[in-house]
Amino acid sequence: MADCLFCKIVAGEIPSTKVYEDEQCLAFADTNPQAPRHVLVVPKKHFTDIGDLGQDAEAAAGLVAGIGGLARQEGFTDYRTVFNTGAGVGQSVFHVHAHVLSGRPMGWPPG
Ligand code: 5GP
Ligand code: ZN
């Protein structure tokens, strides 16, 4: 999609620190990390948010598989996966992405 930051990262038009890639997903380091490891996992195809993604079962499964593949590759045993949906809870990039956070203790519920 034109003018989408994460579509541009997927296309290689904007540089990123790639961590993991498979047929359907790209995972790259967040530039403002909230944990020692903070990786964003995105479908290569554009979806606005998790509700939009959920209408395409194959793509939704692909993103979940990508999160699992990233975790296996990086040796994450304990990690948190977050989807922000809507500006009111902090979504700032409207190309669905999973935040995968690892490398420090995290309480529940989150503060
Ligand atoms: P959101 O706020 O939409 O849930 O998450 C967007 C995330 O993208 C934020 O954590 C922010 O730090 C990250 N981000 C914003 N711009 C860039 C960028 O150009 N490159 C990378 N790698 N991350 C970005
Ligand atoms: Zn996009």
Side-chain angles (χ1 to χ4, degrees):
M1 188 194 220
D3 246 23
C4 169
L5 175 64
F6 289 171
C7 281
K8 287 179 181 168
I9 286 179
V10 167
E13 293 165 14
I14 291 176
S16 69
T17 302
K18 182 166 88 178
V19 180
Y20 170 87
E21 184 171 15
D22 62 28
E23 200 178 312
Q24 293 196 57
C25 303
L26 180 69
F28 49 92
D30 196 299
T31 48
N32 183 24
Q34 303 302 311
R37 301 297 311 278
H38 184 170
V39 181
L40 302 173
V41 188
V42 308
K44 291 181 177 175
K45 189 175 163 192
H46 182 91
F47 296 91
T48 306
D49 59 24
I50 196 168
D52 186 22
L53 176 70
Q55 294 184 308
D56 183 331
E58 191 184 336
L63 184 59
V64 174
I67 293 165
L70 162 75
R72 267 193 306 282
Q73 176 190 288
E74 296 300 302
F76 296 167
T77 53
D78 298 61
Y79 57 97
R80 181 163 293 166
T81 304
V82 174
F83 290 89
N84 291 324
T85 306
V89 298
Q91 186 176 6
S92 60
V93 179
F94 288 83
H95 178 132
V96 68
H97 49 281
H99 294 259
V100 178
L101 302 135
S102 189
R104 64 166 167 82
M106 294 175 209
W108 187 262

